[in-house]
Amino acid sequence: MLDFFSIFSKGGIVLWCYTFQGVKASFTEPINALIKTVLLQVGYQKVLTLLYVDKLITDVHRDFRDRYRQKLLDGSLSWITLNFSYDNQFSILRSNAEVKESKKVTTMRTFDKSEKSKKTIKSMTIDKNKDAKDAEIKKKTNSPKPEKVVKANVEAPAVQPSVPQPNNTLDPDVIARNREALAKRAAASKAKGKKAAPKKTGKSARVWQNGGNAKDAESLDRSGNTNKDALTNGHSHDDNVTAEQKNWVNTSSKIQDLDEEEYEDEDVEEDVEEQANTKKSSGGIFSMFRGLVGSKALTKEALQPVLNSMRDHLIGKNVAADIAEKMCDSVANKLEGKMVGTFSTIASTVKQSLNDSLVLILTPKRRVDILRDVLEAQRAGKPYVITFCGVNGVGKSTNLAKICFWLMENGFRVMIAACDTFRAGAVEQLRTHKTRLHTLHPPSMHGGRDGVNLFEKGYGKDAAGIAMQAINAAREQRYDVVLVDTAGRMQDNEPLMRSLAKLITVNSPDLVLFVGEALVGNEAVDQLVKFNQALADYSNAENPRSIDGIVLTKFDTIDDKVGAAISMTYTTGQPIVFVGTGQSYPDLRRLNAKAVVHALLK
């Protein structure tokens, strides 16, 4: 039923209103609710369900307009204070509308008006022979004309024109001849198709591109070539490098820091505050602290749920669980007991706390300065020895070549010791790198002497003995640095770990670098712990060596999951000396805490 009815002008001035029984006499609240919830949102059609409302509104509008037309058109606006007495007339119009609506009776449609009544009895009967008749008619229409068939068949005798039957059917003799001619044509076309079909052949052998065969073995054999300068992997020196690679020379002597997004602190706080004011939740770490904004001092109980979410966020970034716990404790110590009034204050506090914790974790126990140490070794008259170790497939040889190129860019002569005598192709890979580096840095750039040389003894030999011979050869030929490449091995392979411990114990390298990839996440922590443990257990020295630094490879493939860098540094206490960000020689970077902070807060 209707509760309230009102008439108002286009400007919103109420001219007349009618309240039904049980409704408040004041019309201000109903009018405001009408304008807000009905006119501005959904419209009256979606709210009222009475069937006669549309007609009632139309009748009242027309009657009220005609009754008070002169008063409403008065320019003096005296009608604003005029009391329109329209209650009786409204009751009459409403009663008429209700009566008229109640008299409406929906009658059902008669059979004569339905579609079924238009169908005849013949159309409703089922003819079982209808399909056979349709097929016969279709066959007759598709069959060739008898005159043309008789002319095409030379051997067939002349056919007399058939007398049409009363039911317009062909003569049975003509039909038989047509069928015979059709069968002959079908047989002729089938025989022709058999002759054109290709013969089936067996499966042909696959020919690999650049695969080679026994005939090419003699031309590809270069084992008898004793000219060391001719070992160019089948290419000339000029073909080994491109124009882009030549541009690397004399531009890569300094290793840049990891690229970081440069945000001003004010811009970050403004962006975070705008995100906090919206109802959408952001994926950043700051969204966890929105519920802490208020006038009360923060307590440990209020911070605990937020810190648990923050710890899960850091673990999702490949940060080890104990390190994530330590970082959360640092943030809790900074926020506990503080009066936080705005969201930007929390954001800046959390960022500063995380930055301090990461700087403390990533700060190494000792500083590794390779260039300074190489100069000291030069003054002592001995080469500086660096040994690379790690598991299989992490990029030891590739990053060894990058570091070799960086050392050559700084004016040092480098000898590469091929001590990976286990993996097939390891020596050839280093030989290819040596040839390319020799082309980029010819002897003219190193006082007429080779800037890089490869010391190799083939496969299946003792790696520790090859490393010792390479170091002695480098001392005699006055090379500045010796880079020892070792075979990749899993941390649980005891024989290979014993071999690595022997190589390090016998030759006492100046720097032992563990090469690990950033893709494995917390698996790198297990690798580091077991490598260190194996070097200590399988060494016969009183003070066994351990890993001195870390080379983190494939860092360009992990996006913002940088937790492996933090976990590896925290586990060993040793610095990340180099970060590999690609496959080219200049793709070496240094790790900085700010880049890691930006990735963690992303």
Side-chain angles (χ1 to χ4, degrees), residues 244-257:
E244 180 183 0
Q245 294 172 348
K246 291 180 181 179
N247 295 331
W248 299 340
V249 182
N250 298 327
T251 60
S252 305
S253 60
K254 185 178 179 181
I255 297 180
Q256 304 294 330
D257 290 338

Side-chain angles (χ1 to χ4, degrees), residues 29-256:
E29 183 178 350
I31 287 295
N32 292 336
L34 175 69
I35 295 175
K36 181 178 180 181
T37 61
V38 179
L39 299 182
L40 299 183
Q41 293 184 9
V42 296
Y44 73 89
Q45 290 88 349
K46 294 185 180 180
V47 177
L48 299 178
T49 57
L50 298 178
L51 301 178
Y52 62 86
V53 170
D54 289 337
K55 177 172 176 52
L56 177 61
I57 293 175
T58 304
D59 295 342
V60 171
H61 175 267
R62 186 183 299 109
D63 183 76
F64 190 88
R65 181 194 59 191
D66 297 340
R67 186 180 296 271
Y68 301 104
R69 178 184 298 273
Q70 298 298 329
K71 295 181 181 181
L72 295 175
L73 296 178
D74 188 6
S76 61
L77 300 179
S78 60
W79 55 270
I80 296 178
T81 59
L82 184 62
N83 185 13
F84 296 92
S85 57
Y86 193 69
D87 295 355
N88 297 331
Q89 184 64 21
F90 174 75
S91 300
I92 296 172
L93 293 176
R94 182 169 64 90
S95 300
N96 295 337
E98 290 177 353
V99 171
K100 187 173 294 187
E101 182 65 28
S102 63
K103 290 182 179 180
K104 287 185 178 181
V105 179
T106 56
T107 58
M108 296 181 63
R109 186 174 53 179
T110 61
F111 177 78
D112 296 337
K113 297 180 180 180
S114 63
E115 296 291 335
K116 192 174 182 180
S117 63
K118 300 178 182 179
K119 295 182 179 181
T120 60
I121 298 177
K122 184 178 180 181
S123 63
M124 298 173 64
T125 57
I126 300 175
D127 189 1
K128 297 182 179 180
N129 300 324
K130 182 178 180 181
D131 296 337
K133 293 180 180 179
D134 293 341
E136 185 178 356
I137 294 172
K138 185 176 181 181
K139 185 176 180 180
K140 291 178 181 179
T141 54
N142 293 335
S143 61
K145 294 182 179 180
E147 290 79 9
K148 292 185 179 180
V149 174
V150 172
K151 291 181 181 179
N153 191 354
V154 179
E155 298 178 358
V159 180
Q160 297 296 333
S162 59
V163 180
Q165 301 296 329
N167 56 353
N168 294 329
T169 58
L170 295 176
D171 186 22
D173 296 336
V174 176
I175 295 176
R177 285 194 294 270
N178 291 342
R179 289 180 178 176
E180 184 180 358
L182 181 63
K184 289 182 179 180
R185 283 206 308 271
S189 61
K190 187 175 182 180
K192 185 177 180 181
K194 287 184 178 180
K195 293 180 181 179
K199 295 182 180 180
K200 292 184 178 180
T201 58
K203 184 178 180 181
S204 59
R206 176 176 293 179
V207 180
W208 295 96
Q209 186 178 3
N210 297 329
N213 50 36
K215 298 179 180 179
D216 301 329
E218 184 177 355
S219 60
L220 295 174
D221 186 12
R222 296 184 177 84
S223 58
N225 194 346
T226 57
N227 187 4
K228 295 183 179 181
D229 294 337
L231 295 177
T232 59
N233 199 25
H235 303 280
S236 64
H237 288 289
D238 294 336
D239 294 337
N240 286 333
V241 295
T242 61
E244 180 183 0
Q245 294 172 348
K246 291 180 181 179
N247 295 331
W248 299 340
V249 182
N250 298 327
T251 60
S252 305
S253 60
K254 185 178 179 181
I255 297 180
Q256 304 294 330

Side-chain angles (χ1 to χ4, degrees), residues 411-440:
F412 298 114
R413 299 176 64 231
V414 183
M415 175 173 284
I416 302 174
C419 297
D420 185 357
T421 63
F422 183 78
R423 177 173 64 90
V427 177
E428 287 76 9
Q429 181 182 6
L430 292 177
R431 186 182 300 159
T432 301
H433 282 300
K434 175 256 178 184
T435 304
R436 185 171 287 110
L437 291 170
H438 184 79
T439 306
L440 291 173

Side-chain angles (χ1 to χ4, degrees), residues 181-435:
L182 181 63
K184 289 182 179 180
R185 283 206 308 271
S189 61
K190 187 175 182 180
K192 185 177 180 181
K194 287 184 178 180
K195 293 180 181 179
K199 295 182 180 180
K200 292 184 178 180
T201 58
K203 184 178 180 181
S204 59
R206 176 176 293 179
V207 180
W208 295 96
Q209 186 178 3
N210 297 329
N213 50 36
K215 298 179 180 179
D216 301 329
E218 184 177 355
S219 60
L220 295 174
D221 186 12
R222 296 184 177 84
S223 58
N225 194 346
T226 57
N227 187 4
K228 295 183 179 181
D229 294 337
L231 295 177
T232 59
N233 199 25
H235 303 280
S236 64
H237 288 289
D238 294 336
D239 294 337
N240 286 333
V241 295
T242 61
E244 180 183 0
Q245 294 172 348
K246 291 180 181 179
N247 295 331
W248 299 340
V249 182
N250 298 327
T251 60
S252 305
S253 60
K254 185 178 179 181
I255 297 180
Q256 304 294 330
D257 290 338
L258 273 176
D259 296 334
E260 61 174 294
E261 300 173 353
E262 298 179 355
Y263 294 114
E264 297 290 339
D265 292 340
E266 296 179 358
D267 295 340
V268 173
E269 293 177 2
E270 290 176 1
D271 295 341
V272 171
E273 190 170 1
E274 289 177 2
Q275 294 177 1
N277 292 332
T278 59
K279 294 183 180 179
K280 295 181 180 179
S281 60
S282 63
I285 196 173
F286 296 114
S287 60
M288 305 174 187
F289 296 89
R290 289 178 178 169
L292 301 179
V293 179
S295 58
K296 296 182 181 180
L298 298 177
T299 60
K300 189 174 182 179
E301 291 75 12
L303 287 171
Q304 192 60 40
V306 181
L307 293 177
N308 292 338
S309 301
M310 177 183 173
R311 182 175 62 85
D312 296 339
H313 175 84
L314 294 176
I315 292 175
K317 300 282 188 176
N318 281 346
V319 181
D322 54 345
I323 305 174
E325 191 71 32
K326 182 177 179 181
M327 296 172 65
C328 292
D329 293 340
S330 175
V331 174
N333 294 334
K334 293 290 183 67
L335 292 179
E336 187 175 359
K338 282 194 174 184
M339 301 283 293
V340 182
T342 61
F343 183 73
S344 60
T345 307
I346 287 186
S348 59
T349 305
V350 172
K351 180 181 178 182
Q352 184 61 36
S353 177
L354 285 176
N355 189 32
D356 295 343
S357 300
L358 288 173
V359 169
L360 183 62
I361 293 173
L362 296 176
T363 300
K365 296 179 180 179
R366 70 185 187 93
R367 184 169 178 267
V368 177
D369 192 341
I370 296 179
L371 298 181
R372 180 197 61 188
D373 295 341
V374 172
L375 292 175
E376 291 181 358
Q378 272 186 340
R379 288 191 289 268
K382 63 177 183 178
Y384 186 78
V385 182
I386 304 176
T387 300
F388 295 83
C389 62
V391 298
N392 309 78
V394 295
K396 292 184 297 299
S397 301
T398 302
N399 285 273
L400 181 146
K402 294 180 186 179
I403 296 174
C404 179
F405 178 74
W406 170 65
L407 291 170
M408 295 173 68
E409 283 285 291
N410 285 275
F412 298 114
R413 299 176 64 231
V414 183
M415 175 173 284
I416 302 174
C419 297
D420 185 357
T421 63
F422 183 78
R423 177 173 64 90
V427 177
E428 287 76 9
Q429 181 182 6
L430 292 177
R431 186 182 300 159
T432 301
H433 282 300
K434 175 256 178 184
T435 304

